């Protein structure tokens, strides 16, 4: 659990899940929506976009059971880095070109979320809501929203909604390539820059809500 510090800056963007009951996204209708059916998870998507990063929201029927994961941070994976340093939680001993420390930690966190959901019989495709907390990397004036968003796209919002085909995404400064995890879901999302996180070296902490379908 994260205790928000005195200073909170809202950044990033808000998105919403793009996966319907059958796992296929659909554009928002022209007229007013009715309430969702009891077992429905229904996104509100901008019309005419094949790979939107933002949706207006997500409606969840009253009979949809959900699972809320506590805030998860990156796992210690780089034993060669000093304890308590951001690099200790990096996905890489030697990062690929352009991969920032926040990006590397974000990839790590998304793997921890994958494992957390798996215990409940869920996957990242079932995520309907997300809240991300970012701290500044040492020497940086602001949180690395761009690095977080690149990592996010490796695991979320990386399919063409008209064809279902994966969309290439960048890792660091490398040319776009197939994502690490193909996923049509776009959860409702807020990203917050905060002063610090509870574990020394953490730059990223993420909590999610997933729907059983």
């Amino acid at each position: 659990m994260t205790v928000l510090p005195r200073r909170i800056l809202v950044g990033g963007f808000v998105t919403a899940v793009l996966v319907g009951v059958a796992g296929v996204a659909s554009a928002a209708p022209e007229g007013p929506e009715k309430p969702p059916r009891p077992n429905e998870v229904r996104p509100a998507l901008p019309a005419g976009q094949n790979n939107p990063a933002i949706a207006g929201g997500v409606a969840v029927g009253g009979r949809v059971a959900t699972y809320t994961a506590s805030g998860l941070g990156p796992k210690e994976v780089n034993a060669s880095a000093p304890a308590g340093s951001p690099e200790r939680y990096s996905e890489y001993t030697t990062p690929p070109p352009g991969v920032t420390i926040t990006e590397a930690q974000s990839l790590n966190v998304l793997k921890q979320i994958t494992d957390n959901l798996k215990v409940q019989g869920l996957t990242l495709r079932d995520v309907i809501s997300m809240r991300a907390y970012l701290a500044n990397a040492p020497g940086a004036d602001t949180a690395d929203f761009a690095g977080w968003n690149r990592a996010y796209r490796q695991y979320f919002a990386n399919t063409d909604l008209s064809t279902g085909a994966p969309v290439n995404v960048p890792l660091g400064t490398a040319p776009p390539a197939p994502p690490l995890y193909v996923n049509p879901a776009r959860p409702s999302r807020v990203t917050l820059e905060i002063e610090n996180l509870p574990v020394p070296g953490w730059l990223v902490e993420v909590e999610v809500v997933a729907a059983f379908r």
Side-chain angles (χ1 to χ4, degrees):
M1 177 179 180
T2 298
V3 178
L4 295 180
R6 295 182 299 274
R7 176 172 61 90
I8 301 176
L9 300 178
V10 178
F13 50 79
V14 179
T15 64
V17 76
L18 302 184
V19 181
V21 174
V24 179
S26 58
E30 295 181 1
E33 276 281 15
K34 296 180 180 180
R37 296 186 298 274
N39 296 313
E40 183 180 12
V41 175
R42 187 181 67 213
L45 303 181
Q49 296 186 28
N50 290 336
N51 188 25
I54 298 173
V58 56
V60 180
R63 293 182 183 174
V64 177
T66 61
Y67 169 73
T68 303
S70 295
L72 296 171
K75 183 178 180 180
E76 288 186 274
V77 290
N78 185 1
S80 64
S85 68
E87 290 72 22
R88 186 83 170 188
Y89 303 93
S90 170
E91 278 285 281
Y92 308 100
T93 302
T94 303
V99 172
T100 65
I101 184 61
T102 295
E103 185 175 359
Q105 284 202 13
S106 298
L107 293 169
N108 185 334
V109 170
L110 292 168
K111 288 183 177 180
Q112 308 318 310
I113 293 172
T114 301
D115 292 342
N116 183 285
L117 294 173
K118 185 177 180 180
V119 175
Q120 305 298 323
L122 297 163
T123 73
L124 296 179
R125 288 173 176 249
D126 300 308
V127 174
I128 61 173
S129 180
M130 176 183 293
R131 185 176 292 262
Y133 306 91
L134 306 182
N136 297 3
D141 293 330
T142 61
D144 180 14
F145 294 105
W148 155 247
N149 285 328
R150 287 195 301 272
Y152 169 83
R153 282 283 198 171
Q154 290 288 342
Y155 285 88
F156 289 90
N158 53 39
T159 63
D160 185 306
L161 298 181
S162 63
T163 65
V167 174
N168 289 345
V169 294
L171 181 69
T173 55
L180 296 175
Y181 179 84
V182 177
N183 187 1
R186 276 83 170 168
S188 63
R189 202 191 86 174
V190 63
T191 304
L192 304 174
E193 178 184 313
I194 67 174
E195 188 169 343
N196 52 60
L197 287 168
V199 177
W202 278 16
L203 302 177
V204 184
E205 185 175 2
V206 180
E207 56 181 301
V208 300
V209 177
F212 291 94
R213 291 180 279 190

